[in-house]
Amino acid sequence: MTGYDAPLRRFFAEAVQHHLMDWAIKFRPIPPRSPHLNGKVERTQRADREEFWDTIDPADPDIEMRLSEWQHHWNWHRPHTALGYHAPCSRFARAAQ
């Protein structure tokens, strides 16, 4: 391997790659230092940090329950500007009708 493929293969877990292939999800690595290609990931990580991780104690024994509640809130209730201030699930439900 050459270029950025060699370190990426070492970094990106092979098991994850196999799961992606099983689910027919294309893995498209981006070159290092390409924030203009990684904006959506950076945005959601920022929102996760500001709206969830900064509000809880990661050592809380109920962390799994809190994370599950957050995921439900994110997908069913939280308005997303990219979706016209609708939650992803409500937007999906309208599209399915």
Side-chain angles (χ1 to χ4, degrees), residues 4-6 12 15 18 23 30 33-34 38 40 45 59 62 70 80-81 93:
Y4 67 89
D5 289 340
F12 198 71
H18 290 295
W23 298 327
I30 61 171
R33 295 170 298 284
S34 302
N38 200 25
K40 291 178 183 174
Q45 287 177 347
D62 294 328
W70 167 248
H80 295 250
T81 55

Side-chain angles (χ1 to χ4, degrees), residues 1-2 5-6 9 11-12 14 16 19 22 29 32-33 36 38 42 44 48 61 65 70-71 74-75 79 82 89:
M1 289 191 243
T2 61
D5 289 340
R9 172 142 331 263
F11 173 76
F12 198 71
E14 229 174 279
V16 173
H19 282 300
D22 291 344
R33 295 170 298 284
H36 60 288
N38 200 25
E42 295 291 333
T44 191
D48 292 343
M65 181 184 69
W70 167 248
Q71 287 174 324
W74 179 270
N75 289 316
C89 286

Side-chain angles (χ1 to χ4, degrees), residues 5-91:
D5 289 340
L8 186 62
R9 172 142 331 263
R10 283 192 301 266
F11 173 76
F12 198 71
E14 229 174 279
V16 173
Q17 291 182 42
H18 290 295
H19 282 300
L20 292 175
M21 286 186 264
D22 291 344
W23 298 327
I25 298 173
K26 270 190 174 176
F27 172 60
R28 294 185 224 174
I30 61 171
R33 295 170 298 284
S34 302
H36 60 288
L37 299 175
N38 200 25
K40 291 178 183 174
V41 172
E42 295 291 333
R43 177 64 186 102
T44 191
Q45 287 177 347
R46 178 180 162 198
D48 292 343
R49 187 188 70 246
E50 291 176 353
E51 298 176 27
F52 177 72
W53 291 109
D54 288 352
T55 67
I56 60 124
D57 175 8
D60 184 346
D62 294 328
I63 187 74
E64 288 184 32
M65 181 184 69
R66 301 280 308 274
L67 183 55
S68 179
E69 291 169 352
W70 167 248
Q71 287 174 324
H72 178 82
H73 170 74
W74 179 270
N75 289 316
W76 288 89
H77 305 289
R78 184 188 180 276
H80 295 250
T81 55
L83 301 177
Y85 293 94
H86 295 290
C89 286
S90 64
R91 171 89 183 247

